[in-house]
Structure formats: C-alpha cells, structure tokens
C-alpha cells in the first residue's frame, strides 16, 4: 500500500496536478492587461462600457445602492434556499409578462440564482438528475461557457446549425432540419435574443416555425436570456421568443441574467424559471430545486437581489431603468453604424452590412484567425478568435482606430 503523503514530508499533496489553461476570454484579458500600448482595445469580454472604457454602472443602480445603504432596518439574515421571494415573483413577471397565464395559474417555479451561468447550471443539474433525456442541442456557434456548464452537469452535447458564414446571417433551413431530426424529448438551448456570439436572431415568424417544430417533436426548450432590453431597447420585445413558447401551454426552462441589462456583472444575480403544465408540478419542481441548491451553496446572497427587487417594484425606478436601457441599446446601434460607415469610407474589401444587421452586444465580424492575430500583434486589439467583437466595449472615439486596423488586416490577409 502507498504510504499516505502529508505536508510533513515536504511536498504538496497537489504536486502532481497539471496546470490548467485559462479559459480563452480570460486569457485575452490577461494579455490585454499586460499590454502597455495606450491605443489598446479590449473587445473580448462581454461588458457594456462607457465612452471612457469603464464598466458602465447604471444611475438607477447607484440610486438604489444609496437607498439600501441608508436603510438601517435591513438585516443580513439568510435568504430562503430559493432566494428572495419578491425577487423571484418580479423576475418571472419581467420575463413572462405581468399578465402571463402561466404565472396567474402558478405554473412557474422561479428561484434566485448566481447570475446567468448559475441559472444555466442549476437547470442543467435538475435535468441531468430528473429528466429522462440527457441530450442537449446547442446552436453552433454558441456562448463559450454553454458547453462547460451543461456538460459539467452530466448532459450530453450535440449541436444544431445556426449561423451561415456566407450570409453572416441565420441558417434557418439548417436549423429547422436539425430540429426536425433531433432526438425525441431532447433539450434544445435557445438564446432568447441578442445571440452570443453571432448577433443573429430569428424573426418572429421564424420563431413561430421553430416553436411548432419543437412542440411537434416533444423537445424541451431551455432559453438563455442574458440581454433582455439591450437588443431592441424594449424589455417585452426581447422576451417575445420565450413568451411565444409559454403561450402555447407547453413547458420550458428560462435562465435569466441581470449582468448586462442592469450592469450587475459582479453581483452575480439572475434566476431560473421552469414553466410547468400544472401548479402541482411546479411545486414539485421547486422542491427538487431546493434539494439541489441546499448541498450546493445552501442559499443565495442578498445584495444583487435587493437591488433588482427595488427597481422592479417601484414604478419610478423601473421607468428610469427602461430609459437607461433604451439609451444603452441606442448606443449599440449607433456604434455599429459608425463602424460600418468607417469601413465603407475606407473602401475596406468585403461586404460589412452584417455589422448593422446583427443585433445586441455581439458582432460576428467574419474576420479570420490570421487577421485577428494581426489585429492583436500589430494594433493591440484584443478579441476572440471566432471573430466576435463586443460592440458594447467599443466607444465612438475608438471606431476610426478599429476601422483602420481592420482595413490593414484585411489588406494584409485578404
Ligand atoms: C449568452 C450568455 N449567457 C449567459 C451569460 C452569462 O452571464 P452571467 O454573467 O450572468 O453569468 C453570458 C455572458 O456573457 C452570455 O453571453
């Protein structure tokens, strides 16, 4: 028998561990931070920034934080396992609409989660533990952490066609064919709006065809809603795809994040909602979620939920939030237009109209790895190797610099 190794023998118990690589988006951030160039641009990580390049904190959030700090009656008692009840109620209403029949009929189980990633992981844990089909179809391409989150829970990953590199738009035919041949009962992950990384969303008519196909084949839709309000500037419009599925009385899961639309990245606040056929099933589902959460992190933190709840329950604050969101989404549209115009005015080789056709925080530029490598090495522009840039991280004053650099890269590696 091997002798037990202890620290008293000098070596670490973890000596044999191989160093793990940084996830790509963090590796890009590390490289960016090390770069001393004053011109450097970070268009990798999905954070909405000000014209000065700082992470944007919404005024309404600052206001609520002051209110919370002044409220000396608030204590730090543990929240329930499923989080703050008022937060859950208001979050469900935000996603499904106040008049949603599913909410009125108490068919929705909503629990507070550790932002979008935590909501996705919790949903995946529930499905891996209790749902009879473990195959999940992801759009190709998709948010880089989706495969990690879902496979870590024990689900088996497959993909469905989504993006057409020739048109820089939706491969609707491929998508419908792949849904049509998906395994019966399989889980299908959809981006509710503002698809990351492509910025390509189906139209309402296409969503309706997708919905019919999903229901026909008995697939289970799992929506990831990370950009509600930032895509069109309207919270209801950006949840429309989800609401179409809820309207038909069928079941679905929704992971909701307040990272981007309230700028609460580091607060890690979101929710998981599971829409069920009956109130009785929703109660059982919620009880099972409690069983998963308790040995995981016991119960969620207070602060982010308190901020969101204060905004969602107050008519005036909610109005301020929607006005700020509209301004943020207008800025995204404006910067897209400026980048497109700047490339056109330079006569940069290629058709760049997809930059203005795509929506939300992500733009899939179509730049190849050589061009991206060149942009980083020669022009200090950091972005992911799939060609996605975070439009939310691009200021108007940086547009000419980026356009010059793209022009240069395309000429060098046509
Ligand atoms: C599509 C998508 N889902 C989920 C997330 C995770 O967000 P959160 O920070 O809320 O965990 C992101 C973040 O970029 C995202 O783009």
């Amino acid at each position: 028998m091997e002798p037990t190794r202890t620290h008293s023998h000098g070596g670490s118990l973890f000596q044999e561990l191989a160093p793990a690589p940084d996830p790509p988006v963090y590796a890009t951030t590390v490289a960016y931070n090390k770069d001393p160039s004053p011109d450097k641009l970070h268009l990798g990580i999905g954070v909405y920034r000000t014209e000065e390049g700082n992470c944007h904190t919404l005024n309404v959030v600052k206001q609520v934080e002051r209110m919370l700090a002044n409220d000396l009656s608030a204590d730090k008692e543990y929240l329930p396992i499923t989080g703050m009840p008022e937060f859950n109620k208001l979050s469900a209403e935000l996603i499904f609409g106040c008049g949603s029949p599913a909410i009125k009929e108490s068919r929705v189980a909503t629990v507070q989660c550790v932002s979008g990633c935590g909501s996705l992981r919790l949903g995946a844990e529930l499905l891996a533990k209790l749902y009879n089909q473990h195959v999940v179809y992801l759009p190709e391409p998709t948010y880089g952490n989706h495969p990690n989150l879902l496979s870590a829970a024990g689900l088996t990953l497959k993909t469905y066609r989504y993006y057409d590199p020739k048109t820089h738009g939706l491969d609707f035919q491929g998508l419908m064919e792949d849904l049509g041949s998906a395994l019966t009962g399989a889980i299908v992950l959809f981006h509710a709006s503002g698809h990351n990384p492509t910025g390509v969303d189906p139209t309402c008519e296409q969503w309706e065809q997708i919905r019919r196909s999903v229901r026909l084949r008995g697939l289970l839709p799992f929506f990831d809603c990370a950009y509600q309000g930032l895509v069109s500037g309207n919270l209801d419009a950006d949840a429309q795809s989800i609401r179409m599925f809820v309207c038909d009385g069928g079941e679905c899961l929704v992971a909701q994040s307040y990272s981007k639309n309230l700028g609460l990245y580091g607060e890690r606040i979101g929710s998981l909602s599971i829409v069920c056929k009956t109130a009785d099933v929703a109660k059982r589902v919620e009880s099972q979620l409690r069983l998963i959460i308790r040995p995981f992190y016991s119960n969620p933190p207070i602060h982010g939920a308190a901020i969101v709840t204060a905004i969602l329950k107050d008519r005036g604050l909610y109005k301020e939030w929607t006005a700020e969101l509209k301004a943020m989404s207008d800025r995204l549209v404006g910067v897209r237009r400026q980048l497109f115009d700047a490339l056109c005015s330079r006569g940069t080789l290629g058709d760049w109209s997809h930059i203005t056709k795509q929506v939300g925080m992500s733009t899939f530029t179509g730049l190849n790895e050589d061009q991206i490598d060149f942009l980083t090495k020669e022009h200090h522009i950091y972005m992911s190797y799939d060609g996605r840039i975070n439009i939310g991280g691009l200021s108007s004053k940086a547009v000419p610099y980026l356009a010059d650099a793209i022009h240069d890269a395309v000429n060098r590696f046509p």
Side-chain angles (χ1 to χ4, degrees):
M1 200 180 166
E2 275 275 299
T4 313
R5 279 196 268 169
T6 64
H7 288 286
S8 62
H9 291 98
S12 165
L13 292 172
F14 306 109
Q15 195 118 340
E16 308 301 318
L17 293 190
D22 275 339
V25 70
Y26 292 99
T28 307
T29 303
V30 170
Y32 170 83
N33 289 339
K34 278 192 195 149
D35 187 336
S37 166
D39 297 325
K40 65 182 178 177
L41 279 183
H42 190 356
L43 303 175
I45 202 154
V47 171
Y48 186 98
R49 298 190 185 278
T50 61
E51 275 290 308
E52 291 68 44
N54 302 319
C55 176
H56 178 63
T57 305
L58 278 76
N59 286 326
V60 71
V61 168
K62 288 185 195 157
Q63 211 175 309
V64 168
E65 297 233 83
R66 278 194 293 272
M67 269 166 47
L68 293 174
N70 289 331
D71 179 5
L72 300 180
S73 69
D75 60 38
K76 304 288 182 192
E77 169 90 57
Y78 288 123
L79 287 182
I81 296 172
T82 51
M84 205 177 271
E86 200 176 15
F87 166 85
N88 290 336
K89 176 181 169 289
L90 294 165
S91 292
E93 287 173 1
L94 186 70
I95 282 279
F96 303 115
C98 282
S100 167
I103 295 179
K104 282 194 185 141
E105 293 157 16
S106 307
R107 292 191 283 109
V108 187
T110 302
V111 299
Q112 180 186 330
C113 288
V114 184
S115 215
C117 288
S119 315
L120 287 159
R121 179 65 188 268
L122 180 64
E125 290 287 337
L126 180 87
L127 296 171
K129 191 174 168 200
L130 298 168
Y131 185 57
N132 57 17
Q133 172 59 270
H134 284 181
V135 171
V136 56
Y137 289 86
L138 298 170
E140 172 61 36
T142 194
Y143 167 52
N145 211 15
H146 276 156
N148 308 327
L149 289 163
L150 301 176
S151 62
L155 298 176
T156 304
L157 309 182
K158 284 185 186 283
T159 56
Y160 62 89
R161 278 171 283 171
Y162 190 82
Y163 179 74
D164 181 350
K166 283 196 255 21
T167 61
H168 299 291
L170 186 68
D171 178 2
F172 186 60
Q173 193 183 335
L175 182 155
M176 292 302 285
E177 281 172 12
D178 289 350
L179 289 186
S181 62
L183 293 166
T184 309
I187 306 149
V188 189
L189 188 122
F190 293 112
H191 296 231
S193 50
H195 184 276
N196 179 5
T198 65
V200 172
D201 285 348
T203 61
C204 270
E205 292 71 33
Q206 287 169 332
W207 272 120
E208 176 52 20
Q209 289 183 55
I210 293 169
R211 187 194 65 74
R212 272 195 238 134
S213 173
V214 163
R215 294 310 190 202
L216 196 70
R217 296 200 56 77
L219 306 173
L220 178 59
F222 190 163
F223 284 94
D224 181 1
C225 188
Y227 298 95
Q228 189 183 2
L230 268 177
V231 181
S232 67
N234 182 298
L235 286 155
D236 293 315
D238 290 352
Q240 197 51 37
S241 55
I242 298 171
R243 292 181 190 178
M244 287 167 74
F245 279 74
V246 175
C247 265
D248 69 13
E251 302 186 306
C252 68
L253 285 80
V254 183
Q256 186 179 13
S257 164
Y258 292 104
S259 292
K260 324 278 172 172
N261 59 8
L262 266 169
L264 292 175
Y265 309 90
E267 295 296 350
R268 312 306 295 136
I269 180 68
S271 77
L272 172 71
S273 284
I274 304 186
V275 180
C276 306
K277 285 263 165 132
T278 66
D280 176 51
V281 175
K283 267 202 197 113
R284 291 188 223 179
V285 165
E286 194 189 307
S287 69
Q288 290 293 341
L289 288 171
R290 279 200 294 273
L291 221 55
I292 298 172
I293 294 167
R294 178 68 176 144
F296 208 0
Y297 52 86
S298 191
N299 51 75
I302 296 173
H303 192 64
I307 297 172
V308 175
T309 304
I311 294 167
L312 293 184
K313 77 177 184 191
D314 183 282
R315 209 180 257 258
L317 294 171
Y318 182 81
K319 220 170 141 209
E320 273 185 51
W321 177 38
T322 53
E324 284 193 69
L325 254 183
K326 178 76 173 71
M328 289 161 78
S329 119
D330 284 350
R331 194 186 84 78
L332 293 175
V333 173
V335 173
R336 282 177 184 283
R337 165 61 54 188
Q338 288 163 21
L339 181 57
F340 171 70
D341 288 346
L343 291 168
C344 290
S345 71
R346 283 159 180 74
T348 308
L349 206 65
D351 174 3
W352 299 95
S353 59
H354 54 283
I355 293 178
T356 50
K357 285 184 199 140
Q358 295 170 356
V359 292
M361 294 235 311
S362 301
T363 272
F364 221 43
T365 58
L367 293 167
N368 63 37
E369 291 202 4
D370 287 335
Q371 292 164 339
I372 293 164
D373 208 39
F374 177 79
L375 283 175
T376 305
K377 291 193 176 125
E378 292 291 318
H379 295 283
H380 313 277
I381 292 168
Y382 294 81
M383 57 187 280
S384 52
Y385 272 97
D386 57 6
R388 168 190 173 272
I389 61 172
N390 168 34
I391 281 287
L394 181 62
S395 66
S396 297
K397 64 174 187 283
V399 166
Y401 180 76
L402 176 62
D404 283 341
I406 292 178
H407 187 81
D408 196 12
V410 170
N411 278 347
R412 193 68 68 92
F413 298 97

